[in-house]
Amino acid sequence: MSAEVHTVAVIGAGKIGELVLSGLLRSGWPADRLLATARRPARAEELAARYGVRVVDNLTAVDEAEVLAVAVKPQDAAALLDEIGPKVPPGKLLVSLCAGLPSSFFSRRLPEGTPVVRVMTNTPALVDQAMTAISAGAHATGEHLALAEEMFKPLGATIRVPETQQDAVTALSGSGPAYFYLLVEAMTDAGILLGLPRQVAHDLIVQTAIGSAVMLRDSGEHPVKLREAVTSPAGTTISAIRELENHGVRAALLAALEAARDRARELATQAE
Ligand SMILES: NC(=O)c1ccc[n+]([C@@H]2O[C@H](COP(=O)([O-])OP(=O)(O)OC[C@H]3O[C@@H](n4cnc5c(N)ncnc54)[C@H](OP(=O)(O)O)[C@@H]3O)[C@@H](O)[C@H]2O)c1
């Protein structure tokens, strides 16, 4: 299936849809093999001007593309599927990027036998550093998963997970960039509290985040080992860590991710 370049339609090209479009273009996916759809005419014009792809209506996209990448908000998915579901011809692959929605949500609204793949990516796709988790839904074969990987590999790393893990993935890596941005924002404020100019505090913490991330990825060391290497006896770091533990940062993260996972489940219920 992946020997030739397939025509991919990004249906509902908002923030995440645009990341997919721009990533595919950066990776050399031909613009004439990409379609996009949008709800507002102004958005359609913007996408066509920015990326040189054809912006068409949903039914044209369904007709012309081999892969339908659905990137609408979960609460808009039912209305979209009411429109396109019965019109999807046999043999098309539907790739859902929607948080929370199980592949069965789509299968129930598509002709019997339509393969569905569920993915969860994240916004670092913009700099080709996304983390994308890919799961097979009904009727999806290894070839369909490989095709989804071909689409998302240029945007960063990919991993295959069972669909039952996708709500946890959504909580961890889908929303994950927001947690890191919040930490950076809070640490920048802490730098200001200690008397550093805002820009200096920002530059210090951003480079520290990058350095730490590269070490986590490349050193092969467990995070505990890396942290211990910075934590000398009676030193400054352990004083800070005592405060982090006193303020329940670890417990807060456990609770926060559980809340995000629960919200993903709730979105699925509300979308029905
Ligand atoms: N943002 C993230 O970090 C992130 C991460 C992982 C996954 N996701 C998932 O990605 C999906 C999109 O999120 P987003 O943040 O990109 O939302 P978004 O910016 O609102 O994009 C959704 C787009 O779909 C369009 N749309 C809605 N109904 C449509 C229809 N019937 N036909 C054509 N276009 C339609 C919307 O048009 P209008 O502009 O007119 O409303 C909007 O441009 C969500 O399901 C979300 O769960 C998001």
Side-chain angles (χ1 to χ4, degrees), residues 11-19 37-40 43 58 70-77 79-80 83 97-101 119-123 170 173-175 177 267:
I11 301 193
K15 286 186 285 297
I16 283 288
E18 181 169 351
L19 292 186
T37 80
R39 201 156 44 179
R40 288 166 298 116
R43 176 66 178 158
N58 289 332
V70 173
V72 300
K73 288 260 198 264
Q75 56 268 31
D76 291 326
L80 173 72
E83 180 193 355
L97 291 109
C98 301
L101 299 188
V119 308
M120 176 48 57
T121 189
N122 62 14
T123 55
T170 303
S173 58
S175 302
L267 285 173

Side-chain angles (χ1 to χ4, degrees), residues 175-190 205 252-253 256:
S175 302
Y179 317 146
F180 286 107
Y181 300 141
L182 182 85
L183 271 181
V184 166
E185 189 194 329
M187 287 167 87
T188 304
D189 274 349
I205 204 58
L253 284 169

Side-chain angles (χ1 to χ4, degrees), residues 9-12 68-72 77 80-81 84 94-98 106:
V10 177
I11 301 193
L68 311 171
V70 173
V72 300
L80 173 72
L81 267 290
I84 66 168
L94 187 139
V95 176
S96 163
L97 291 109
C98 301
F106 296 94

